[in-house]
């Protein structure tokens, strides 16, 4: 009994240390420490994919669509493969925009030398600089207790680093750090920057927005910061499964009123395209995008969006606003 009592503090300390260690272990990563190298092709052909005449991504040999789970039970590896392919497709689409649509690629901010391909990732990744260990004095002037505490912290730090190298970083990946792009460090900043430097200065008299998901939140933030300018230049806004919230973003009454008249949100829903969907927020009307898949809401609702834009443009020229709450021009599936 006495021995058990004497060993109590030690057992408690061991238990605490074990809990701390377990809290740092990512079991998924631990199970995948033997995954293949994260070395992927840098071309579509290397991935054995190509776009067909309909613009669909298909496997060159099998003709099948993209398969995420290329290797079973290797989620992290599959995710990295997916991201690598996504980077290639992003560049491919931008090349099409320049070649077929005659759009111009502009680097932002001016003189920065980095183009923002995806406003949801407004940063570049650079290798994290290695911390140079400073040579400390012999510590003869320091109390023994302080030196002992320093040694203990140093050993703990080394244990954590070794643990990371062995389990959490099996591919010996370089530690990276994010450098946010000046004046474009967030989607909201990016939207305001593009507005100030490009849209506001353009000769276009009628501007139309299509904002998907978080893009809707960025647009509302743009309105909050540039309300008068947006109202004078923007004719209509199509949101697709937008995640904006006029209450949380503290959009004023005049903004909410303008959105009710000039915006429409095509949301994910199993209802037919353009079916009215109730909303708890006092902003723009919500209608079904004709799909319950978030990532397809823009694609599925494009026919209705362009018709909505055409009506808004005609209404502007004739000084009449289109009716948005009950869509009378519901598009049937056979017309698509």
């Amino acid at each position: 009994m006495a021995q058990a009592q004497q060993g109590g503090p030690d057992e408690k300390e061991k238990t605490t240390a074990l809990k701390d260690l377990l809290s740092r272990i990512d079991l998924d990563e631990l199970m995948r420490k033997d995954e293949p190298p994260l070395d992927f092709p840098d071309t579509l052909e290397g991935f054995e994919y190509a776009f067909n005449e309909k613009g669909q991504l298909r496997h060159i040999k099998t003709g099948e669509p993209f398969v995420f789970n290329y290797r079973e039970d290797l989620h992290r590896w599959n995710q990295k493969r997916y991201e690598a392919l996504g980077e290639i497709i992003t560049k491919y689409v931008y090349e099409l925009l320049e070649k077929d649509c005659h759009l111009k690629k502009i680097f932002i901010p001016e003189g920065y030398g980095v183009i923002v391909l995806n406003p949801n990732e407004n940063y570049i990744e650079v290798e994290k600089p290695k911390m140079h260990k400073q040579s400390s004095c012999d510590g003869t002037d320091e109390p023994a207790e302080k030196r002992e505490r320093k040694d203990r912290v140093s050993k703990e730090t080394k244990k954590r680093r070794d643990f990371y190298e062995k389990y959490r970083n099996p591919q010996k990946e370089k530690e990276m750090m994010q450098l946010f792009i000046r004046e474009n460090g967030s989607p909201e900043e990016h939207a305001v920057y593009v507005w100030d430097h490009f849209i506001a200065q353009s000769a276009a008299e009628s501007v139309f927005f299509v904002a998907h998901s978080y893009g809707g939140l960025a647009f509302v933030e743009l309105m909050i910061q540039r309300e008068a300018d947006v109202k004078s230049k923007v004719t209509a806004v199509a949101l697709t499964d937008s995640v904006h919230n006029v209450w949380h973003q503290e959009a004023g009454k005049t903004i909410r009123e303008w959105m009710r008249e000039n915006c429409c949100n095509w949301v994910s829903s199993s209802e037919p395209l353009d079916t009215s969907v109730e909303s708890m927020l006092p902003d723009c009307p919500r209608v079904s995008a004709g799909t319950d898949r978030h990532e397809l809401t823009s694609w599925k609702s494009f026919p209705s969006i362009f018709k909505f834009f055409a009506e808004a443009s005609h209404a502007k020229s004739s000084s009449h606003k289109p009716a948005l709450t009950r869509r009378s021009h519901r598009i049937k599936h056979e017309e698509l």
Side-chain angles (χ1 to χ4, degrees):
M1 187 69 177
Q3 290 180 349
Q5 289 177 346
Q6 291 176 358
D10 291 338
E11 291 297 326
K12 185 177 180 180
E13 184 177 344
K14 290 180 180 179
T15 302
T16 303
L18 180 60
K19 287 182 178 180
D20 180 65
L21 177 63
L22 291 175
S23 68
R24 302 175 192 281
I25 296 178
D26 187 327
L27 294 179
D28 289 337
E29 293 292 344
L30 188 59
M31 293 172 63
R32 292 164 175 75
K33 64 179 182 297
D34 296 324
E35 68 183 6
L38 302 175
D39 185 18
F40 302 106
D42 56 4
T43 64
L44 277 178
E45 294 76 13
F47 275 98
E48 297 187 332
Y49 279 104
F51 288 98
N52 61 20
E53 63 279 1
K54 296 182 180 180
Q56 300 169 322
L57 185 69
R58 293 293 183 265
H59 195 275
I60 295 175
K61 296 179 179 178
T62 66
E64 295 294 320
F66 173 75
V67 176
F68 179 85
N69 290 317
Y70 188 77
R71 298 200 180 195
E72 293 294 331
D73 299 325
L74 289 175
H75 178 80
R76 179 175 178 273
W77 188 91
N78 289 327
Q79 177 67 29
K80 293 292 184 180
R81 172 178 174 269
Y82 165 78
E83 293 172 0
L85 179 60
E87 289 296 323
I88 296 173
I89 294 175
T90 298
K91 294 177 182 177
Y92 175 79
V93 170
Y94 271 73
E95 289 173 0
L96 291 179
L97 291 174
E98 291 183 87
K99 178 182 175 182
D100 296 347
C101 301
H102 308 291
L103 297 180
K104 183 180 179 182
K105 181 188 291 185
I106 297 179
F107 289 82
I108 57 174
E110 289 86 352
Y112 198 80
V114 177
I115 186 169
V116 180
L117 295 178
N118 180 359
N120 289 322
E121 295 182 354
N122 292 354
Y123 57 83
I124 57 175
E125 286 192 338
V126 297
E127 186 176 353
K128 196 172 184 179
K130 294 182 178 179
M131 300 297 292
H132 296 287
K133 191 173 182 181
Q134 296 180 350
S135 58
S136 57
C137 58
D138 57 5
T140 53
D141 295 336
E142 291 183 345
E145 183 180 352
K146 188 174 182 180
R147 288 201 307 272
E148 184 180 344
R149 186 165 60 250
K150 277 187 175 182
D151 290 340
R152 188 166 59 249
V153 170
S154 178
K155 289 179 181 178
E156 180 65 23
T157 301
K158 185 178 184 304
K159 284 182 181 179
R160 293 177 182 177
R161 185 164 56 246
D162 292 342
F163 174 82
Y164 174 85
E165 289 296 331
K166 186 176 181 180
Y167 295 110
R168 297 189 61 83
N169 193 17
Q171 301 296 342
K172 303 297 181 183
E173 297 173 51
K174 297 177 180 177
E175 291 189 68
M176 307 297 285
M177 62 184 296
Q178 296 177 355
L179 293 182
F180 288 92
I181 297 174
R182 173 168 43 86
E183 299 181 83
N184 288 268
S186 70
E188 296 90 329
E189 282 188 6
H190 181 66
V192 173
Y193 183 93
V194 170
W195 176 270
D196 289 344
H197 290 77
F198 301 101
I199 302 175
Q201 299 180 22
S202 69
E205 296 180 354
S206 295
V207 176
F208 299 87
F209 270 81
V210 178
H212 174 67
S213 191
Y214 199 90
L217 186 149
F219 174 78
V220 172
E221 184 63 28
L222 172 65
M223 279 216 70
I224 293 173
Q225 297 194 35
R226 302 288 188 272
E227 180 176 353
D229 294 339
V230 170
K231 288 181 177 179
S232 66
K233 207 169 183 69
V234 176
T235 299
V237 178
L239 307 174
T240 58
D241 228 10
S242 172
V243 297
H244 71 278
N245 188 304
V246 291
W247 290 136
H248 292 167
Q249 295 181 254
E250 299 182 351
K253 180 180 178 181
T254 55
I255 291 177
R256 299 196 302 270
E257 290 175 347
W258 187 90
M259 290 183 65
R260 278 196 292 269
E261 294 295 321
N262 299 278
C263 301
C264 187
N265 189 9
W266 278 262
V267 300
S268 53
S269 169
S270 58
E271 295 294 324
L273 182 67
D274 288 334
T275 301
S276 179
V277 177
E278 296 300 323
S279 172
M280 298 296 291
L281 297 176
D283 49 17
C284 58
R286 287 160 42 103
V287 296
S288 171
T291 177
D292 55 7
R293 292 177 59 183
H294 171 75
E295 67 274 16
L296 294 181
T297 49
S298 296
W299 173 256
K300 291 287 188 179
S301 55
F302 272 154
S304 287
I305 289 174
F306 287 124
K307 194 166 186 178
F308 167 57
F309 284 168
E311 290 180 354
S313 181
H314 176 74
K316 182 178 180 180
S317 61
S318 59
S319 300
H320 293 293
K321 297 292 183 184
L324 302 177
T325 52
R326 295 292 177 183
R327 306 293 301 281
S328 59
H329 59 274
R330 182 175 301 164
I331 298 176
K332 298 180 180 179
H333 289 287
E334 55 267 24
E335 295 178 8
L336 294 177

